[in-house]
Amino acid sequence: MIRYIRRAAALCLLLLAALLVNAARVQIIESTSLDKNPANRRPAIARYDEPRGDILVAGKPVTGSKDSGQQLRYERTYTQGPLYAPVTGYASQTYGTSLIENTEDGVLTGTDPMLAPLPFWNDISRLQQPGGDVVTTIKPSMQRAAFDGLGGKRGAVAALEPSTGKILALVSSPSYDPGLLSGTGPPVKTEWARLNTSGGRPMLNRAIRQTYPPGSAFKIVTAAAALESGVVTDVDAPSGAPDPYVLPGTRTRLPNATDGCGNASLAYAIQWSCNTVMAYLGVKVGLPGLLDTAGRFGFNDRGLRIPSAVAASNFDRRMTVDQLALSSIGQFDTAATPLQMAMVSAAVANGGDLKRPYLVNRVTRSDGDTVARNYPQSYQQAMNPATAQQLQRMMVKAVEEGTGANAAIEGATVGGKTGTAQHGPGNSGRPYAWFISWAQAADAPQPAVAVAVVIEEDVSADRGEITGGGSAAPIARAVMKAALRD
């Protein structure tokens, strides 16, 4: 009898061991895969069981949470959603997250370890901290000025503080209300489908994710390369550029939109945007010199984040001489995001020291205690201070007496450069109007803001009437005035 009891006990012990091994397999070995299994709703229920932390602009939240009473309890809400959508992105229970909602998701949901009071506290206690807050660098008045200035037209505005790299405004138009994507169900799916099939592509962040031919706005980069390389030693001296200028190796004549460009100086070429002079100087600098200078401004950087990823602006590493001439005036395959062109203007305004752009000022716990902060960092020394000073003077002249007159602000020093990019066979593609600029108050020691504006003009518009000075400069002026008031 005792023998049978022992056998039964041994069998029970074996079964218990098997249960423990299986439990360990499920909870330890397979836990990760089970957590990620689409059929497992527990992570989603836990994720939305607490309110999400907020994204702040000028100390005030532009996001919130509402109790839906559903299994996925808390849904995201947005204050002035279309205005700040290019900053916040969306947080959807159906479609995930984007932009700051994505890059700072751990903070906003409370799962980031830096929110815990002690190291490994979350792992030990198995408790989730309340969602933290993300404080942005955006200035509301500048964001509003850019948004209203675009007025629903396709385009974008990016504005930086040159001395720090803080992003003061980031607008993409047309925009959308991310709150309409927050929950679940047919209305959310219908809105998602509508936004993704809209011809205006409202969910595309044109300020950081779309590249455009920069046109004549790129001439600032070419001018910097000419000065840095020694091709130009006196900005007021005749350049030797012929008018018309025949592209090397071709019979194609490069036109100008203004008179007086034959043998004009670099200063005159920036003031009145002479294609022939800048293309001629770009060829004299050569591909290695222009490629190096463009790189120091941020072109071809595929790792730039603000913290969201920024599309790489392009300056080709290989091209023929005639292609180099066109690239020198922002045509051919040269392409840039509005943020990139704001960086070009900021580098000039800040004496050649280009600061790394950033959108998140600091991260706090739910009680307001700061747990992480971003500080200004040098991104590149784009050019020598002496070169930057000469470019500043030329950009100021372009506003005071040249193509950028519509950006002038009484009582302030404003430098600017217009750009009009036409592309496609026979210039049949959508034309783009650009304006890049910076502004400094009369009593200020340094410029307060650098701005880039691009507008996607209508394909049917009269090409002769499309100019960066006419379309984009007034928007840049409004943004700069808001910056100088703050």
Side-chain angles (χ1 to χ4, degrees), residues 235 386 388-398 438:
V235 298
Q389 288 177 2
Q390 293 181 85
L391 287 173
Q392 287 175 12
R393 288 194 292 269
M394 288 188 283
M395 291 179 74
V396 169
K397 194 74 174 291
W438 52 268

Side-chain angles (χ1 to χ4, degrees), residues 2-307:
I2 294 175
R3 181 176 58 186
Y4 291 116
I5 292 175
R6 287 175 177 172
R7 289 177 179 175
L11 179 60
C12 290
L13 184 61
L14 181 63
L15 292 174
L16 178 61
L19 284 173
L20 292 174
V21 169
N22 187 59
R25 177 183 65 82
V26 171
Q27 296 184 22
I28 300 175
I29 299 175
E30 296 184 2
S31 62
T32 302
S33 62
L34 290 173
D35 281 343
K36 295 180 179 179
N37 191 310
N40 181 15
R41 290 183 59 81
R42 288 183 179 274
I45 293 172
R47 175 183 176 88
Y48 298 109
D49 196 46
E50 297 291 336
R52 192 173 175 86
D54 285 320
I55 299 171
L56 277 62
V57 172
K60 296 180 180 180
V62 296
T63 59
S65 296
K66 69 176 181 181
D67 191 344
S68 67
Q70 305 296 317
Q71 190 177 50
L72 302 182
R73 185 175 174 184
Y74 285 97
E75 294 180 4
R76 195 56 147 168
T77 62
Y78 295 87
T79 303
Q80 302 178 82
L83 175 63
Y84 292 110
V87 177
T88 63
Y90 58 80
S92 170
Q93 295 177 348
T94 306
Y95 298 106
T97 56
S98 68
L99 301 178
I100 284 181
E101 294 277 28
N102 176 262
T103 59
E104 303 295 337
D105 186 66
V107 170
L108 296 167
T109 57
T111 58
D112 195 306
M114 70 178 173
L115 297 177
L118 296 170
F120 307 110
W121 177 262
N122 291 352
D123 294 332
I124 296 171
S125 67
R126 296 289 181 180
L127 296 176
Q128 181 173 315
Q129 304 300 313
D133 294 335
V134 177
V135 182
T136 70
T137 57
I138 294 294
K139 299 287 187 180
S141 61
M142 296 175 62
Q143 187 80 0
R144 172 59 68 181
F147 185 84
D148 290 348
L150 286 170
K153 292 182 179 179
R154 296 186 190 184
V157 177
L160 300 171
E161 186 173 63
S163 61
T164 64
K166 290 180 181 179
I167 298 175
L168 305 178
L170 198 70
V171 171
S172 177
S173 179
S175 189
Y176 70 103
D177 185 355
L180 298 177
L181 303 175
S182 294
T184 59
V188 172
K189 294 181 179 179
T190 299
E191 185 66 13
W192 177 266
R194 184 188 70 81
L195 290 172
N196 280 281
T197 56
S198 171
R201 303 176 70 191
M203 294 182 71
L204 170 65
N205 191 332
R206 289 172 164 86
I208 63 171
R209 298 280 173 83
Q210 179 68 50
T211 59
Y212 301 89
S216 293
F218 187 81
K219 291 173 182 175
I220 296 299
V221 178
T222 303
L227 290 165
E228 293 282 283
S229 65
V231 167
V232 173
T233 56
D234 181 354
V235 298
D236 295 313
S239 63
D243 183 15
Y245 177 55
V246 179
L247 297 180
T250 75
R251 295 181 179 178
T252 303
R253 293 186 173 190
L254 186 65
N256 287 303
T258 189
D259 297 327
C261 290
N263 197 29
S265 67
L266 176 60
Y268 185 91
I270 294 297
Q271 180 181 354
W272 296 106
S273 202
C274 296
N275 289 333
T276 52
V277 174
M278 302 311 299
Y280 174 80
L281 292 177
V283 170
K284 290 194 70 175
V285 171
L287 179 57
L290 265 172
L291 185 59
D292 176 66
T293 300
R296 284 188 274 120
F297 278 101
F299 282 80
N300 298 327
D301 182 354
R302 301 189 179 280
L304 182 62
R305 307 184 69 88
I306 61 167

